[in-house]
Amino acid sequence: FSNRTGMVNITGLDGSNYAGTAAFASWPTASTTPTFGGVLNAVSGTTGRTATLNGSFFQGGPTNTTPLYGEMGGSLILNGTGGYLGSGIFAARKP
């Protein structure tokens, strides 16, 4: 995380695979949470699609064994030719 960017790959989402880079949009301060976002392009499957990714890192609750920001969640918006649209949400927790 020191570069504040990372590679994102999504495979098999509605017949397409996506790849791109996500970057921190804001770094945490005493009053904010760290947010990230990026645009991914379809690299196989149905071409001409993009996925816009936005999310945040979160601190877990009292049962979280991972200190600081061990969880993340966000949204994904898909766009493509021919009026193709899709959306979804995601959540993850560091084991």
Side-chain angles (χ1 to χ4, degrees), residues 1-62:
F1 292 115
S2 65
N3 291 335
R4 298 184 182 170
T5 62
M7 294 300 302
V8 178
N9 293 299
I10 300 172
T11 58
L13 179 59
D14 200 16
S16 293
N17 298 327
Y18 297 85
T21 303
F24 277 105
S26 66
W27 195 248
T29 65
S31 62
T32 65
T33 59
T35 60
F36 57 89
V39 176
L40 315 176
N41 292 305
V43 293
S44 65
T46 306
T47 58
R49 291 183 182 176
T50 60
T52 303
L53 174 77
N54 290 295
S56 296
F57 287 98
F58 301 99
Q59 292 179 327

Side-chain angles (χ1 to χ4, degrees), residues 66-80:
T66 306
L68 297 178
Y69 298 98
E71 299 175 359
M72 73 166 97
S75 65
L76 185 70
I77 305 295
L78 304 173
N79 288 290

